[in-house]
Amino acid sequence: MPDSLNFQVNNQSHNTKCNPGTSLLSLLRSLGYAGVHRVCESGDCGSCTVWLDDKPIHSCIYPAMQVDSHQITTIEGLENGKLSPMQQAFLDKQGFQCGYCTPGMIMTASKLEYNSEAELRAELEGNLCRCTGYEAIIDSILECGNDNLVKPITAKEGQVGKNIPKQDGPNLVTGKPVYTADWSPPGLLHLKVLRSPYPHARIREINTTKAEALEGVEAVFTHKDVTRRAYSTAGHGAPVPDPLDHYLLDNKVRFIGDRVAAVVAETEAIAAIACELIEVDYEILPHAIDPVTAMKGDVVIHDEPESSQIHDAAHNIAGEVVLEKGDLNTGFAEADLILENTYILPAVQHVHLEPHVSISWLDEDGTLVVRSSTQVPFHCQRLLSELFDIPKEKIRVYKPQLGGGFGNKQEILSEDLCVLATLKTGKPVQWRFTREEEFTATNSRHAMNIRIKTGVKSYGTIVAQEMEAISNTGAYGNHGETVTFLTGCFPLGLYRCANQSYKGTVVYTNTMPAGAFRGYGATQGTFAMESQLDEIASKLNIDPIKLRQQNLITTEDEILIGREEHFHIIGSYALDECIEKVTQALDYDPEKQPETKGHIKRGVGFAATMQASGLAKIHLASVKISLMPNGQYELRTGSVDVGTGSDTSLRQIAAEVLGTTVENITIITADTHNTPFDAGSYASATAFITGQAVNLAAQKLRSHLLKTAAQIIEVNTEELKLDEAKISGSQTTIFLKQLAQEAQKRGESLSVELEHTSDRASLTFAFLGVEVEVDTETGRIKVLRCAEAIDIGKAINPRICHGQATGGLVMGLGYALAEELRFNEQGKILNPGLRTYRIPAASDVPPMEIFLIEKADPYGPFGAKGIGEIGTNCTAPAIANAVAQATGVRLKQLPMIPERVWMAMQKLE
Amino acid sequence: MDLYNIETYLRPKSLREVQDWQPNWNWLAGGTWIFNEVQPQVKTLVDMQRLNWSEIEVTPGGLSIGATCIQNDLLDFSFPEAWTATGALKDAVRELASFKLSHAATVGGNICLALSASTFAPVMIALNASYEIWQPNGEPYFVNAIDFQTAPQQTILQPGEVLRRIKVPDGNLTQWQTSFKRMAVCTAGYAIAIIVTAYHPQTNRVRFGIGGSIKSPRLIEFDTVPTPEQIVSAIGAFSPQMYIDNERGSAAYRRHITQVLMQRGITELTTGIKGKRRY
């Protein structure tokens, strides 16, 4: 080890040594400065920003060896008895969601100079946020120094429908060690995985001797060390709908990046070096990257007999979806215009800023504990129990604060090998994915080719729709069929049509698996359908808004095709109002010709979508709510706040029902040993299903409290009223504290626990419009402004809902204009980092007007519907339609990068 | 990121201390590139900080920039007013990446890395810079900026050789107006074309430094302001193989953008209507 380093962090002196290749980020984290967050590791995202002698730098690319005799300031050093003005501004304006980018944002923003909002956005180029769409962040920075006194909202004002601040805010703006990797038990070992360099190969021989001999290596595991048991990483409830085709470690690899062996060592560095010492003799097999080639069956990716629930393994078809209604031939025979197009959708990555990370250990009583960044602790517990033959009650899975997930943390990717290593070594083990692993060895959105053939009457009525999707599920089939189902069912279901058919084919290829991703297949289908209808409108010379209005389903329509029983229903419906708001906001005039100024052309475009709230009948939420001896309430739920603020929304619901404020509701969540079961955070379910469970449980508790109070103070229940502090009748009053203590004396429980599934999944609708500018010389598309209206039922917390809308919209902007995993002919991903895979930065985001249209849904709590996913679906098709209006060019492939736009315009000429 | 393979860290105060240059050694200036991706071939980092090569000097002959000059120091430096072309140096800093990166990144690091997307290479070519290279024995020699880079991430530097300073002649700084134009697939990220235009209003001479789109940066010069046709024909002199053709952009598109940005650069300078740096 080289000379020791002397430096100061937050005015505290440190004298330490480190390996010469260490980054300042790792040095700071090893010293306990957990507010310095590790995300991109390449100097692109700014989450690790610290000040070096008062100048902000990216600590992930700063050599620790150069820190000698310098002064470092981290987020932990900003507080000086009270929050710094910038921290206070982020708290006041709630400039965060998951909070993982927040310390870096604050450290950067505190040192920014700018003269306008545009300059501010440009200066933030080196700080990426994936949750907020930047709006709340920009608001926070602009408001810094202004006194924004935030008054608590009283019980009298009510809690539902109010912008209650997220409860985790103070921790997030101060960089508290709240995320999974910020704490670990002593004696921690680190796990790293050797990954396949080949797209398809059988492992003939694997020699781990050299790796095991390296000092500091505790153990090396290969397929020889595990029971061969097929499972799915999908993180679904049992019985799982996915192919069982994945193994802890296998004798075959199916994509570049697939797991080969796992090393557990004293440090990540030793584990990484040991991985390189493992000798593997591969029998290289022919591979298939393209789904159409794969379906020929010349190469069989899952030829192992142990895998099951695969639709047609011999042809690499993981799953198939067929939906039919009416008769296509009759429909097309009636049509005046038939339009057929194929749309090409890329694989894209979630880019949740916090990577997958799990820590496992054995508790004193032998319980296996898994601390993990997961959206589905209970499904994870069940899977681990099955994989390792341990009773569920001997496994505790819990999640700390989550730094984003977007579906990728519904997948169970890091817990399994961690647990294997803990069980084999008896020691605590952590496995943290690198950013490159996130890009190359987790999941993507399903790449799809979607063909639509539509028949319409000359006056615009749709008479036939035939849709076919070929969905690339990659090497494993997790979520393949369920995602591909939504690709057809929502976009087709949105438009009334007597004759429809959909076929979705889910195909294995030797590429990184696709999996769950916000929007879940509907995003892909929406791009195809909304582009298709826009082109039809233009061909028929009908206003695209009118054409949609003419065909959109209404409350009177039966909405699904092909399945006798369905659970998606229209509870509340305000799509017509959404359209009105958006067209008004953009001053839409169908008669207006698009503007042209030199090489710049402008146009407007629109898109509609729908997405269900949760999964009917199977998405189970249980909650327990109790009046505690201190007179406050405790709410326990297994649900997972991915960073969205759902914990706060759930407290609002409970507080509203119990006539109190959120301050009196303590929430404990997402812990298999300490909270009742919840399916987890996916399918836009938390507000609609867990929220309703909380609503029902709180109502039940209220009745129970009134009844108990009535007995104690000997009056009729009917005359009693519950408020924040007490239960009162006309004459007598009992304080909640007294009530709790009295009940305790009498041995009566003041707890209510219930389970809830919804018989229906209400549909949320949305409509979005954009105005774009196209540089016809370069092909660059710039979105000038956009407006989106979401038919949300009821906004439990409008600011949180707004954040979901803007965040989803901007994620859709990346999908539209920039994001694409690029593969070579081996299926190797060519852009596995945030410098080459660009997600939208603050300067890419146009002004956004969001309308939350509230028309109460009969099935959701206080009329609320799901909002987590829907915002992502409309951005890409609306932009494509606006480009078509501006230039006449129809872009059928995403992302609409300048070169593709330019090429399309060349063809037009 | 952490570079697990690094075993040794050297901090020489002079070149004499690093005579026995090994193939698995690597110079380390600001580290912003080296620490941004795995470096499996590197075992030793040779930190240049103690060489004290970070000066910015105004000399009678022109500008001299030390190899390890922090990029942001160029933004803060007061150049002689007549040196209007120093605007291009500042643009190269601003267009590199986030301002936090250029608090640590060095001018020489960007040049020696020789990425096709280097923001400094086309600037140095447009400004007719030359590079002072030191051999391991301390002997210096000069090379023109145009001759330095031979291919993406390849330069004429031999093992152990190092860039000591960059010299820009006074004649290419005084009265020259510059414009910096770049295009990337997204609004940020690696450029697929960078055009730095230098224009001398009194003589009408024009120098285009071209980077990003081609495998090594090039110069196109005109004695008078070129017409669009002249730009097309000048670019036509580049062989199609000179253009980079990869997943970020095809050769045809890069060629097209090169021409568009040249046109926009010269239009901006001759009309005085300031346009954007990024498209």
Side-chain angles (χ1 to χ4, degrees):
Chain A
M1 263 219 197
D3 324 336
S4 62
L5 302 167
N6 284 297
F7 58 102
Q8 292 204 315
V9 184
N10 306 332
N11 296 321
Q12 196 190 326
S13 297
H14 288 276
N15 179 311
T16 185
K17 289 186 177 186
C18 66
N19 286 323
T22 306
S23 61
L24 178 59
L25 163 66
S26 292
L27 179 63
L28 291 170
R29 285 193 64 87
S30 75
L31 293 171
Y33 299 98
V36 191
H37 290 164
R38 189 193 306 273
V39 177
C40 69
E41 302 186 85
S42 59
D44 292 290
C45 77
S47 301
C48 68
T49 302
V50 300
W51 301 342
L52 176 85
D53 302 330
D54 257 8
K55 282 184 181 170
I57 57 158
H58 298 269
S59 65
C60 68
I61 51 169
Y62 189 86
M65 295 295 285
Q66 292 189 353
V67 79
D68 194 56
S69 72
H70 287 291
Q71 299 260 2
I72 301 291
T73 311
T74 70
I75 188 82
E76 289 92 345
L78 285 198
E79 275 176 281
N80 190 4
K82 60 174 193 166
L83 296 180
S84 79
M86 193 58 77
Q87 287 175 310
Q88 189 62 50
F90 270 72
L91 194 58
D92 291 344
K93 289 286 168 184
Q94 298 279 289
F96 43 73
Q97 264 177 43
C98 83
Y100 217 67
C101 73
T102 310
M105 284 285 178
I106 290 173
M107 295 307 287
T108 305
S110 305
K111 293 288 182 191
L112 278 185
E113 286 168 23
Y114 57 89
N115 295 309
S116 63
E117 185 182 321
E119 261 185 57
L120 166 60
R121 286 176 179 268
E123 289 292 303
L124 277 183
E125 178 180 332
N127 286 79
L128 300 175
C129 167
R130 191 58 154 174
C131 297
T132 60
Y134 299 98
E135 222 182 32
I137 291 169
I138 298 293
D139 279 356
S140 303
I141 300 172
L142 291 174
E143 281 296 313
C144 180
N146 295 349
D147 199 9
N148 288 295
L149 196 62
V150 181
K151 273 196 295 187
I153 292 157
T154 64
K156 218 178 212 166
E157 292 171 85
Q159 303 291 292
V160 162
K162 300 293 190 302
N163 290 331
I164 307 262
K166 276 179 74 198
Q167 59 180 21
D168 44 16
N171 283 340
L172 303 184
V173 301
T174 52
K176 290 285 182 302
V178 289
Y179 299 93
T180 300
D182 295 345
W183 177 88
S184 59
L188 188 68
L189 298 174
H190 297 266
L191 190 145
K192 286 265 182 194
V193 158
L194 172 68
R195 297 191 175 276
S196 170
Y198 300 110
H200 200 192
R202 211 172 289 283
I203 297 170
R204 274 201 210 105
E205 205 53 60
I206 185 160
N207 185 345
T208 58
T209 322
K210 283 183 191 162
E212 280 161 18
L214 187 71
E215 199 186 327
V217 170
E218 178 84 13
V220 182
F221 305 111
T222 71
H223 65 91
K224 295 174 197 161
D225 302 301
V226 301
T227 317
R228 191 168 167 83
R229 186 175 279 167
Y231 69 100
S232 174
T233 62
H236 270 131
V240 301
D242 315 87
L244 306 178
D245 58 4
H246 193 268
Y247 301 84
L248 272 174
L249 290 165
D250 203 359
N251 54 22
K252 194 177 165 184
V253 287
R254 299 179 182 81
F255 71 99
I256 293 178
D258 209 353
R259 303 156 159 196
V260 174
V263 175
V264 194
E266 284 168 14
T267 65
E268 285 184 327
I270 295 170
I273 293 167
C275 281
E276 291 168 27
L277 298 174
I278 298 172
E279 295 160 335
V280 189
D281 177 17
Y282 293 101
E283 176 196 346
I284 295 169
L285 303 171
H287 64 275
I289 298 305
D290 168 58
V292 177
T293 313
M295 277 193 282
K296 289 183 193 155
D298 298 338
V299 170
V300 180
I301 295 169
H302 287 280
D303 53 358
E304 62 283 349
E306 297 89 343
S307 292
S308 61
Q309 298 190 187
I310 298 175
H311 182 77
D312 177 2
H315 294 91
N316 295 310
I317 298 174
E320 193 177 82
V321 182
V322 176
L323 306 174
E324 273 167 351
K325 174 180 169 183
D327 179 61
L328 278 186
N329 290 336
T330 316
F332 283 119
E334 282 174 38
D336 297 320
L337 171 74
I338 295 175
L339 180 73
E340 185 171 348
N341 277 311
T342 299
Y343 300 90
I344 304 169
L345 290 311
V348 293
Q349 227 275 327
H350 310 67
V351 197
H352 40 80
L353 296 191
E354 183 201 30
H356 285 85
V357 55
S358 301
I359 304 171
S360 58
W361 68 93
L362 291 164
D363 230 345
E364 284 160 9
D365 69 354
T367 302
L368 173 70
V369 187
V370 182
R371 172 181 166 100
S372 190
S373 182
T374 176
Q375 294 173 227
V376 286
F378 286 87
H379 295 339
C380 181
Q381 179 201 35
R382 191 203 71 245
L383 180 68
L384 293 172
S385 157
E386 290 166 8
L387 284 178
F388 298 102
D389 289 318
I390 302 172
K392 273 201 286 191
E393 53 279 11
K394 294 294 284 178
I395 304 175
R396 174 186 171 209
V397 180
Y398 75 100
K399 68 99 215 163
Q401 185 90 24
L402 227 68
F406 310 115
N408 209 9
K409 290 177 183 169
Q410 184 180 355
E411 306 281 348
I412 295 157
L413 301 176
S414 56
E415 295 88 349
D416 52 355
L417 289 183
C418 246
V419 165
L420 173 76
T422 287
L423 294 176
K424 295 263 187 187
T425 63
K427 294 181 181 171
V429 176
Q430 172 179 297
W431 187 14
R432 170 185 72 80
F433 280 33
T434 63
R435 189 52 48 181
E436 185 175 350
E437 284 181 306
E438 288 295 340
F439 274 110
T440 57
T442 62
N443 290 275
S444 69
R445 190 184 289 287
H446 288 73
M448 289 190 193
N449 277 22
I450 302 175
R451 185 181 66 83
I452 308 184
K453 184 176 166 191
T454 309
V456 277
K457 302 298 283 182
S458 59
Y459 46 86
T461 296
I462 302 171
V463 288
Q465 293 245 60
E466 183 185 16
M467 185 172 179
E468 234 178 61
I470 294 175
S471 172
N472 186 344
T473 198
Y476 300 98
N478 41 303
H479 292 280
E481 196 171 285
T482 40
V483 159
T484 309
F485 170 65
L486 288 201
T487 302
C489 120
F490 285 164
L492 280 172
L494 185 58
Y495 295 98
R496 192 184 317 113
C497 174
N499 310 297
Q500 294 177 320
S501 89
Y502 173 64
K503 185 178 178 195
T505 311
V506 187
V507 188
Y508 286 122
T509 61
N510 294 111
T511 58
M512 179 172 83
F517 193 158
R518 188 186 214 171
Y520 208 76
T523 314
Q524 293 93 314
T526 300
F527 177 73
M529 185 61 71
E530 293 303 303
S531 300
Q532 179 84 350
L533 292 189
D534 206 77
E535 188 172 348
I536 288 171
S538 140
K539 285 208 168 2
L540 293 176
N541 207 13
I542 298 176
D543 171 19
I545 301 286
K546 284 235 169 66
L547 181 101
R548 285 194 178 81
Q549 284 169 326
Q550 207 173 317
N551 292 288
L552 281 167
I553 52 163
T554 64
T555 43
E556 274 79 51
D557 292 300
E558 195 200 321
I559 51 164
L560 264 193
I561 64 163
R563 295 204 168 169
E564 292 298 309
E565 283 189 33
H566 61 75
F567 315 131
H568 298 130
I569 59 133
I570 299 178
S572 64
Y573 180 91
L575 184 52
D576 37 4
E577 218 178 313
C578 290
I579 295 174
E580 203 183 308
K581 281 280 184 210
V582 167
T583 47
Q584 272 174 11
L586 292 179
D587 307 311
Y588 175 64
D589 174 4
E591 303 301 320
K592 199 178 146 201
Q593 289 303 307
E595 275 176 55
T596 298
K597 203 171 164 191
H599 57 266
I600 300 291
K601 292 186 171 185
R602 285 185 176 191
V604 291
F606 300 92
T609 191
M610 67 181 187
Q611 192 108 29
S613 314
L615 302 167
K617 303 201 194 280
I618 52 175
H619 201 108
L620 177 73
S622 337
V623 301
K624 182 179 180 187
I625 183 161
S626 320
L627 180 66
M628 307 303 283
N630 65 358
Q632 294 188 329
Y633 299 95
E634 182 190 86
L635 171 61
R636 289 180 186 245
T637 151
S639 70
V640 172
D641 186 335
V642 202
T644 58
S646 63
D647 282 357
T648 303
S649 304
L650 295 177
R651 286 162 66 234
Q652 285 178 260
I653 292 170
E656 177 84 20
V657 175
L658 293 164
T660 185
T661 64
V662 289
E663 288 78 14
N664 292 318
I665 312 275
T666 304
I667 192 166
I668 298 170
T669 61
D671 182 335
T672 60
H673 265 37
N674 292 305
T675 64
F677 180 93
D678 191 285
S681 173
Y682 55 96
S684 304
T686 308
F688 187 77
I689 295 175
T690 311
Q692 184 67 334
V694 170
N695 184 25
L696 297 173
Q699 287 175 16
K700 206 168 153 189
L701 179 66
R702 186 182 57 196
S703 311
H704 183 54
L705 294 180
L706 293 174
K707 224 164 86 189
T708 312
Q711 282 165 7
I712 293 171
I713 56 178
E714 295 174 342
V715 292
N716 281 333
T717 312
E718 292 71 42
E719 58 177 85
L720 291 178
K721 259 191 70 187
L722 170 68
D723 70 22
E724 282 181 90
K726 58 190 185 307
I727 291 175
S728 18
S730 48
Q731 313 282 315
T732 37
T733 279
I734 181 165
F735 284 91
L736 290 177
K737 220 168 161 174
Q738 283 178 298
L739 174 65
Q741 286 158 4
E742 190 60 34
Q744 209 171 23
K745 269 189 233 155
R746 299 179 178 204
E748 282 179 40
S749 156
L750 295 181
S751 282
V752 160
E753 189 164 353
L754 63 74
E755 285 184 351
H756 172 67
T757 54
S758 179
D759 284 339
R760 317 163 177 81
S762 284
L763 288 160
T764 303
F765 299 91
F767 195 74
L768 183 139
V770 297
E771 185 179 7
V772 305
E773 193 173 87
V774 184
D775 182 334
T776 56
E777 282 183 353
T778 62
R780 172 80 70 206
I781 298 167
K782 185 178 179 201
V783 182
L784 299 173
R785 58 184 179 140
C786 61
E788 180 165 37
I790 302 181
D791 169 22
I792 190 189
K794 168 77 186 173
I796 302 289
N797 185 320
R799 181 163 52 199
I800 286 176
C801 295
H802 193 97
Q804 285 298 302
T806 54
L809 198 160
V810 172
M811 192 174 258
L813 186 72
Y815 189 52
L817 298 181
E819 296 180 37
E820 175 175 31
L821 290 171
R822 300 199 184 94
F823 299 86
N824 72 5
E825 57 286 356
Q826 300 281 303
K828 184 183 163 75
I829 290 170
L830 298 170
N831 53 341
L834 280 168
R835 188 156 308 169
T836 45
Y837 183 101
R838 297 294 309 177
I839 63 169
S843 56
D844 294 319
V845 175
M848 295 178 278
E849 232 181 310
I850 304 290
F851 302 97
L852 301 173
I853 309 296
E854 296 190 301
K855 199 169 186 182
D857 183 88
Y859 310 108
F862 295 90
K865 300 195 277 192
I867 194 176
E869 299 175 274
I870 192 161
T872 312
N873 295 347
C874 286
T875 326
I879 292 173
N881 295 339
V883 172
Q885 203 223 10
T887 65
V889 166
R890 290 262 160 211
L891 297 163
K892 292 167 189 155
Q893 180 175 10
L894 294 183
M896 297 175 271
I897 55 172
E899 181 166 356
R900 285 192 184 129
V901 179
W902 178 73
M903 295 281 284
M905 281 187 306
Q906 297 297 105
K907 281 186 199 144
L908 197 69
E909 275 168 10
Chain B
M1 66 180 61
D2 294 343
L3 305 176
Y4 299 134
N5 295 304
I6 306 294
E7 292 163 359
T8 313
Y9 195 93
L10 302 177
R11 287 188 250 214
K13 291 200 180 77
S14 92
L15 276 197
R16 278 189 299 278
E17 295 172 36
V18 282
Q19 285 302 301
D20 186 22
W21 191 268
Q22 299 295 312
N24 57 12
W25 287 18
N26 212 103
W27 292 107
L28 173 72
T32 52
W33 170 264
I34 292 185
F35 277 74
N36 116 104
E37 58 178 42
V38 286
Q39 310 286 348
Q41 73 293 350
V42 182
K43 296 266 182 259
T44 298
L45 293 176
V46 185
D47 188 328
M48 300 172 74
Q49 277 193 334
R50 291 188 184 170
L51 297 172
N52 281 323
W53 291 354
S54 59
E55 77 283 356
I56 303 176
E57 285 171 356
V58 176
T59 68
L63 173 65
S64 172
I65 304 167
T68 60
C69 170
I70 298 291
Q71 295 191 7
N72 274 0
D73 291 351
L74 290 174
L75 294 182
D76 303 333
F77 192 79
S78 310
F79 293 104
E81 260 175 51
W83 284 3
T84 43
T86 53
L89 294 170
K90 296 186 179 191
D91 286 343
V93 179
R94 293 189 189 107
E95 287 303 311
L96 175 82
S98 111
F99 74 101
K100 291 176 288 180
L101 203 109
S102 39
H103 273 323
T106 63
V107 177
N110 185 272
I111 290 171
C112 292
L113 182 57
L115 288 178
S116 57
S118 160
T119 53
F120 277 96
V123 170
M124 294 308 177
I125 285 171
L127 301 188
N128 195 24
S130 59
Y131 302 152
E132 182 180 332
I133 314 281
W134 283 12
Q135 292 169 296
N137 61 10
E139 287 283 305
Y141 69 94
F142 281 88
V143 60
N144 285 330
I146 186 80
D147 298 322
F148 181 71
Q149 185 181 334
T150 52
Q153 290 189 263
Q154 279 178 40
T155 69
I156 56 145
L157 288 177
Q158 297 301 307
E161 285 190 343
V162 62
L163 173 65
R164 170 61 189 90
R165 59 171 66 87
I166 300 124
K167 294 198 163 205
V168 187
D170 171 74
N172 288 83
L173 291 165
T174 306
Q175 307 304 337
W176 286 81
Q177 306 289 325
T178 61
S179 123
F180 191 108
K181 304 274 174 207
R182 58 162 269 179
M183 176 90 188
V185 178
C186 305
T187 45
Y190 289 119
I192 56 167
I194 299 176
I195 305 297
V196 178
T197 312
Y199 165 62
H200 198 269
Q202 281 75 33
T203 61
N204 270 343
R205 283 175 59 205
V206 177
R207 293 172 63 93
F208 289 108
I210 298 169
S213 55
I214 45 182
K215 290 174 185 162
S216 53
R218 284 282 166 270
L219 172 74
I220 293 182
E221 275 184 287
F222 292 96
D223 287 335
T224 56
V225 175
T227 62
E229 293 72 31
Q230 282 174 310
I231 287 177
V232 172
S233 112
I235 294 198
F238 289 174
S239 78
Q241 287 74 35
M242 275 177 65
Y243 288 95
I244 298 166
D245 191 14
N246 66 11
E247 77 280 358
R248 279 179 219 146
S250 69
Y253 183 65
R254 287 172 189 264
R255 179 192 154 111
H256 167 73
I257 291 298
T258 301
Q259 173 205 322
V260 169
L261 296 187
M262 285 171 77
Q263 190 57 56
R264 289 186 183 183
I266 193 60
T267 305
E268 176 177 311
L269 293 172
T270 50
T271 60
I273 301 166
K274 191 97 176 121
K276 294 188 288 189
R277 287 198 297 267
R278 285 183 195 192
Y279 292 100

